Amino acid sequence: MNGFERRTSQIKDKILHTTLRMLRTSDPKRLRIADVAKEAGVSQVTIYNYFGSKEALIREAFIAYFDQAIRDFETYLNEGHSLREKIERIIYMKTTYSDYSPSLIKQLLHDDIELARHIEVLYREVSVPLMIRIIREGQATGEISPDVSIENALVFMQLYMNQYELLLEMADKSEDRDTFFGKMAEMFFYGLCGRR
């Protein structure tokens, strides 16, 4: 990468990071290119030259965000964490949804077909194989029963993830969010009756 390409990449990254930071507190519909340009210290023309439109900018920002979240999770998987830690990370989406509300993500995916397609491909081609790897590793170490099929384990994890917004609301209403999620993890692993 030559100096010009490196500078272009740095400017684009700065614009994308600024956009993501602003979307933590701003509704995407109210986000203005002028505000992003001011925060990022670039001209509006620069943003339009790189991204073409506000919608494309938001799309590219979230594509970069989700791609990075997957890369971070792959790194996490290779760091020697326990099966429980790995599954908790999946269920509670500590990387993906911690910065943005589930309702915002749903709205973005509803409004932007290209972003939805990208996330679907990422889920099907990267996330599911990673979850299958975790399940197989857990079965190989005896931490997951060999009687549990990969399909059943995936469905069970998906049930939790589909209710993430509700779990988050309930955790926020509880006295201690960490304790709430800790108890949910206990039930995930051991059910209502506890360990056998």
Side-chain angles (χ1 to χ4, degrees):
M1 188 182 288
N2 64 36
F4 176 76
E5 290 170 334
R6 186 170 38 255
R7 176 151 168 70
T8 298
S9 178
Q10 289 170 342
I11 293 169
K12 286 177 85 172
D13 285 347
K14 185 176 184 181
I15 293 167
L16 293 172
H17 285 96
T18 299
T19 302
L20 287 170
R21 188 178 70 247
M22 293 176 76
L23 286 170
R24 287 187 185 120
T25 56
S26 298
D27 183 313
K29 291 181 171 97
R30 294 181 187 210
L31 186 73
R32 296 178 334 130
I33 291 290
D35 297 332
V36 174
K38 183 177 178 183
E39 283 286 318
V42 299
S43 72
Q44 291 182 54
V45 172
T46 299
I47 293 176
Y48 283 111
N49 284 340
Y50 288 153
F51 301 100
S53 68
K54 179 179 89 168
E55 293 74 23
L57 169 61
I58 292 171
R59 178 185 314 119
E60 290 303 315
F62 275 96
I63 284 173
Y65 180 75
F66 286 118
D67 288 352
Q68 185 61 52
I70 290 291
R71 284 192 300 275
D72 291 347
F73 185 66
E74 287 180 290
T75 300
Y76 182 84
L77 285 183
N78 295 321
E79 291 175 344
H81 296 279
S82 70
L83 172 73
R84 182 184 176 121
E85 290 169 327
K86 292 173 187 175
I87 290 182
E88 283 178 346
R89 186 142 176 150
I90 293 168
I91 294 171
Y92 304 122
M93 300 173 210
K94 290 179 180 174
T95 56
T96 307
Y97 286 161
S98 60
D99 293 330
Y100 304 97
S101 72
S103 58
L104 170 66
I105 302 299
K106 281 182 192 174
Q107 187 62 48
L108 288 170
L109 296 177
H110 178 267
D111 292 346
D112 189 326
I113 293 169
E114 286 183 53
L115 179 60
R117 276 193 205 122
H118 181 81
I119 299 305
E120 175 59 30
V121 168
L122 202 60
Y123 176 76
R124 188 177 60 248
E125 295 180 5
V126 182
S127 296
V128 170
L130 287 175
M131 288 190 279
I132 290 170
R133 171 186 155 190
I134 291 168
I135 294 163
R136 285 189 174 137
E137 287 173 358
Q139 288 176 326
T141 61
E143 295 171 276
I144 295 177
S145 169
D147 298 333
V148 174
S149 72
I150 288 175
E151 180 183 30
N152 289 140
L154 288 173
V155 168
F156 193 60
M157 286 192 287
Q158 192 63 50
L159 289 171
Y160 270 75
M161 292 179 350
N162 287 347
Q163 295 302 314
Y164 181 71
E165 191 168 5
L166 177 61
L167 287 172
L168 194 56
E169 284 176 26
M170 294 174 85
D172 287 341
K173 290 177 184 174
S174 72
E175 292 179 20
D176 182 348
R177 186 178 174 152
D178 290 337
T179 300
F180 177 88
F181 278 121
K183 296 294 182 188
M184 292 304 297
E186 286 293 316
M187 284 196 297
F188 177 87
F189 284 99
Y190 307 114
L192 290 175
C193 297
R195 293 173 178 84
R196 266 189 200 174

